[in-house]
Amino acid sequence: MASLTDVKGAAHEGCVTFESAVAPVIRQNVKAHDLAPIIRIGMGQPARGGAAEPNAPWFLVDNHFMMAAGSDATYQPLADAWSQLATDITGLDPTGDLSGLTTDAQAVTQQCGVLHALW
């Protein structure tokens, strides 16, 4: 079982990585109506293409959020918002409306904000 400090640190690191490396890609590419870079980051690749990396931002965020939620129920809403974003990315039609991804990303950001207030 992870310590409370480790859990809090994992959630914090996940939020920082999400806000700095994942959310901007989503915002920029939803605006440009380009799902490909968003799918790439979800697969651990750079947004503009290349090989998947084990320490890709998406994987880091996922690991941090799932570890935190698995250790403390306080973090479950964050993990749920993150899971919804991932589900919606994989289920989107590239020719369809991508605006739901913005809403999903905002939900993750909002959950991070709630937790930031607790930290």
Side-chain angles (χ1 to χ4, degrees):
M1 184 74 151
S3 74
L4 186 56
T5 302
D6 291 342
V7 171
K8 182 176 155 182
H12 177 73
E13 286 300 314
C15 286
V16 168
T17 303
F18 176 78
E19 293 165 356
S20 67
V22 175
V25 172
I26 292 171
R27 280 191 302 273
Q28 176 183 0
N29 290 290
V30 164
K31 186 176 180 180
H33 199 79
D34 188 359
L35 185 58
I38 298 170
I39 291 172
R40 281 192 210 99
I41 65 162
M43 295 173 51
Q45 300 172 338
R48 297 294 168 220
E53 301 171 6
N55 288 324
W58 187 275
F59 296 153
L60 294 175
V61 172
D62 189 64
N63 288 337
H64 289 313
F65 288 173
M66 294 307 130
M67 192 271 285
S71 300
D72 185 337
T74 303
Y75 301 99
Q76 192 60 51
L78 175 61
D80 291 345
W82 173 252
S83 293
Q84 185 63 54
L85 173 62
T87 298
D88 288 350
I89 286 172
T90 58
L92 273 177
D93 174 356
T95 62
D97 181 13
L98 305 183
S99 64
L101 297 181
T102 300
T103 303
D104 291 345
Q106 287 170 341
V108 174
T109 300
Q110 180 182 15
Q111 287 301 317
C112 285
V114 167
L115 294 171
H116 283 308
L118 298 175
W119 300 328

